[in-house]
């Protein structure tokens, strides 16, 4: 498990009628204030989305239908692929993590809960800017 990336197993409520999952802000299921929700669907086969990191934003990703892969890169050589293929699986991404979203199945719906409103200034879209910021943070933490 990468630092800044955590798999979260959601508690499923259910009875003979079926299943239900509740994601409530500031809970074990989602440890931040949710300011924004967006979802990605009808993705063209072979597409890779994301390809960015955030300065501040925290996010919880849930593939509520179908499957996809989230590739998380800490900028220090550590890269891990997380497959999301069931609605009770969350991926919590916090801090500096370059993430790609790929291998979307045709029926994939990727739900994202975000801790911040949309703000382009919070995005790091150039990989070299990302690795520079990772290195600056590492140096700051050493001093
Ligand atoms: P983009 O960041 O390219 O999506 P992804 O990271 O999933 O590949 O966003 C696509 C477009 O949607 C882009 O023009 C920005 C816009 N957008 C918003 O306006 N608000 C949002 O909350 C998000 C996530 C994107």
């Amino acid at each position: 498990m990468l630092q800044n990336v955590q798999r979260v197993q959601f508690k499923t409520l259910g009875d003979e009628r079926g299943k239900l999952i509740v994601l409530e802000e500031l809970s074990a299921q989602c440890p931040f204030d949710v300011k924004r929700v967006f979802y990605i669907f009808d993705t063209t086969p072979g597409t890779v989305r994301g390809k960015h990191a955030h300065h501040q934003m925290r996010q919880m990703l849930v593939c509520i239908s179908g499957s996809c892969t989230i590739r998380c890169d800490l900028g220090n050589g550590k890269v891990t692929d997380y497959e999301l293929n069931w609605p009770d699986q969350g991926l919590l991404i916090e801090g500096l993590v370059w993430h790609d979203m790929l291998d979307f199945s045709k029926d994939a719906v990727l739900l994202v809960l975000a801790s911040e409103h949309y703000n382009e200034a919070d995005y790091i879209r150039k990989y070299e800017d990302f690795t520079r910021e990772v290195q600056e943070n590492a140096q700051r933490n050493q001093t």
Side-chain angles (χ1 to χ4, degrees), residues 16-18 22 27 44 84 88 101-102 105 109 114-115 125 130:
E16 66 287 351
R17 297 169 300 167
V22 183
S27 65
T44 310
L84 297 178
D88 70 355
M101 302 150 176
L102 59 152
S105 63
V109 181
S115 67
R125 292 199 185 268
F130 163 68

Side-chain angles (χ1 to χ4, degrees), residues 3-138:
Q3 181 199 0
N4 298 347
V5 183
Q6 220 180 306
R7 269 195 185 276
V8 180
Q9 179 67 46
F10 300 133
K11 184 175 159 204
T12 301
L13 308 176
D15 54 31
E16 66 287 351
R17 297 169 300 167
K19 293 177 176 151
L20 181 153
I21 288 176
V22 183
L23 302 182
E24 197 164 355
E25 64 183 19
L26 300 176
S27 65
Q29 314 265 76
C30 186
F32 53 81
D33 272 327
V34 178
K35 295 223 176 94
R36 179 166 54 107
V37 174
F38 59 94
Y39 40 98
I40 290 167
F41 63 103
D42 203 15
T43 305
T44 310
T47 293
V48 180
R49 301 198 63 129
K51 302 190 203 173
H52 61 246
H54 291 281
H55 295 288
Q56 297 295 336
M57 196 180 96
R58 304 167 75 188
Q59 56 188 320
M60 178 69 81
L61 291 80
V62 191
C63 197
I64 55 172
S65 168
S67 63
C68 67
T69 296
I70 315 299
R71 179 164 295 155
C72 294
D73 177 345
L74 295 188
N76 57 4
K78 291 186 190 152
V79 181
T80 304
D81 281 357
Y82 296 90
E83 190 189 7
L84 297 178
N85 61 14
W86 202 246
D88 70 355
Q89 303 168 351
L91 192 68
L92 177 64
I93 301 183
E94 309 175 281
L96 274 180
V97 179
W98 186 268
H99 51 284
D100 296 338
M101 302 150 176
L102 59 152
D103 290 343
F104 287 90
S105 63
K106 213 172 162 29
D107 56 345
V109 181
L110 179 64
L111 177 75
V112 183
L113 310 184
S115 67
E116 308 297 333
H117 293 293
Y118 179 72
N119 174 12
E120 190 55 38
D122 188 55
Y123 280 74
I124 307 170
R125 292 199 185 268
K126 282 196 188 140
Y127 191 76
E128 57 269 31
D129 293 344
F130 163 68
T131 50
R132 191 184 325 113
E133 191 158 329
V134 168
Q135 282 162 12
E136 285 168 3
N137 278 1

